[in-house]
Amino acid sequence: EPEVTQTPSHQVTQMGQEVILRCVPISNHLYFYWYRQILGQKVEFLVSFYNNEISEKSEIFDDQFSVERPDGSNFTLKIRSTKLEDSAMYFCASSSDSSRLFFGEGSRLTVL
Amino acid sequence: SQELEQSPQSLIVQEGKNLTINCTSSKTLYGLYWYKQKYGEGLIFLMMLQKGGEEKSHEKITAKLDEKKQQSSLHITASQPSHAGIYLCGAVYGGAQKLVFGQGTRLTINP
C-alpha cells in the first residue's frame, strides 16, 4: 500500500528556533493535512491544504505556523519560533478525495 | 465540549475475549472513521462508515454506525495481542474537510 513519509522522525530544538517538518504525500493525492498529538492527548487537526492554498485551519494554527507545497511533491509545516508547548508528535496526512486520510508515521518534536 | 466521546477510555481484556468500544457524536455525522494507533506510531485506517445502519467488518473487527448517524461501535471478536493499541474514532461533519478525532480508547490484551 502507498505510504505517506515524514522527516525527521524526531527533532530536538531550542525554544525560539524555527523548525520545518517535511512530508511526502501519496503521489496522486490532492488533499493534505497536518495534525498534532501532544503526549497523552488526542490527535488534533491543525490545517488542511488543497489546490495550493489552505482550505481550513484550527485555532491552534496561528501566525507561528505556515504550510507550503514547494515543489509538487513535498508538503512542509514550518513553526517560526518554537515554544515549549509545541512539543508534540506531528502527523501529516493526504487523501485523494478528502474522505479516507492516509497518515504518516509522525515527526516527534521536542522543544527545550 | 467534546464533539466526539469515546468509551471506555481504557480497556483491559483477556486474550480471546470479545470487546466493544463506543464513539458518540454530539452532532449528526457525515462520515465516521476508525483508526488504530500503536504507541508512538502513525494512524492505521481500519474502516469508514457513511450510511446510517451501515456495518463493516475486517478480519475480527466489526464496526457499525447507528441509524441516526450519531453513534458508532467497534467490536473485536476473540481478541489477540495484535489488537492492542489505541483505537480512535474520527468524524467528518457536513461542510468541513477536516477529520475530528475522539480522545481514543487504549486497549490492552492480557495473555
Side-chain angles (χ1 to χ4, degrees):
Chain A
E1 189 169 75
E3 290 184 340
V4 174
T5 56
Q6 290 186 239
T7 54
S9 56
H10 189 191
Q11 182 156 356
V12 181
T13 190
Q14 294 290 326
M15 190 169 57
Q17 295 296 304
E18 176 183 284
V19 161
I20 297 176
L21 304 178
R22 292 182 167 79
C23 170
V24 180
I26 294 171
S27 61
N28 62 342
H29 284 187
L30 302 174
Y31 298 83
F32 313 109
Y33 308 81
W34 283 101
Y35 284 77
R36 80 170 185 190
Q37 184 178 34
I38 295 171
L39 186 64
Q41 297 186 24
K42 70 177 190 175
V43 177
E44 300 174 292
F45 169 79
L46 290 179
V47 65
S48 59
F49 192 87
Y50 171 73
N51 202 25
N52 285 320
E53 60 183 22
I54 290 173
S55 48
E56 195 165 353
K57 61 183 180 178
S58 71
E59 293 175 352
I60 304 167
F61 194 88
D62 60 22
D63 292 343
Q64 291 298 313
F65 291 88
S66 62
V67 290
E68 200 176 34
R69 189 158 159 78
D71 56 13
S73 61
N74 291 287
F75 180 52
T76 62
L77 175 70
K78 182 193 290 186
I79 309 174
R80 287 189 184 83
S81 177
T82 50
K83 304 187 282 282
L84 295 176
E85 54 264 38
D86 292 328
S87 294
M89 183 77 96
Y90 288 81
F91 292 105
C92 174
S94 70
S95 176
S96 58
D97 58 2
S98 75
S99 59
R100 175 182 170 178
L101 270 61
F102 290 75
F103 283 84
E105 290 290 302
S107 293
R108 181 173 299 282
L109 175 65
T110 301
V111 182
L112 302 176
Chain B
S1 63
Q2 294 269 20
E3 288 176 304
L4 279 180
E5 289 279 349
Q6 285 186 238
S7 62
Q9 291 189 15
S10 66
L11 189 56
I12 302 173
V13 300
Q14 205 72 25
E15 183 178 351
K17 297 293 186 185
N18 302 336
L19 63 104
T20 299
I21 298 169
N22 293 301
C23 176
T24 302
S25 172
S26 58
K27 301 185 289 188
T28 300
L29 299 161
Y30 181 76
L32 190 286
Y33 299 74
W34 284 99
Y35 281 82
K36 180 184 173 185
Q37 182 183 27
K38 292 204 166 182
Y39 181 74
E41 297 181 13
L43 281 68
I44 301 166
F45 174 82
L46 296 175
M47 270 169 279
M48 176 179 73
L49 304 162
Q50 288 189 299
K51 299 176 185 174
E54 187 174 10
E55 179 175 323
K56 286 188 178 177
S57 293
H58 175 68
E59 296 178 347
K60 293 185 177 179
I61 301 176
T62 301
K64 301 178 188 178
L65 181 62
D66 76 348
E67 292 287 344
K68 292 184 180 177
K69 295 176 68 174
Q70 284 196 255
Q71 189 167 32
S72 178
S73 59
L74 183 101
H75 185 76
I76 299 177
T77 304
S79 58
Q80 299 168 355
S82 60
H83 289 129
I86 300 171
Y87 288 82
L88 302 166
C89 66
V92 174
Y93 296 101
Q97 290 184 355
K98 66 182 183 185
L99 192 58
V100 174
F101 285 98
Q103 78 274 33
T105 296
R106 182 180 294 275
L107 174 63
T108 303
I109 308 294
N110 283 339

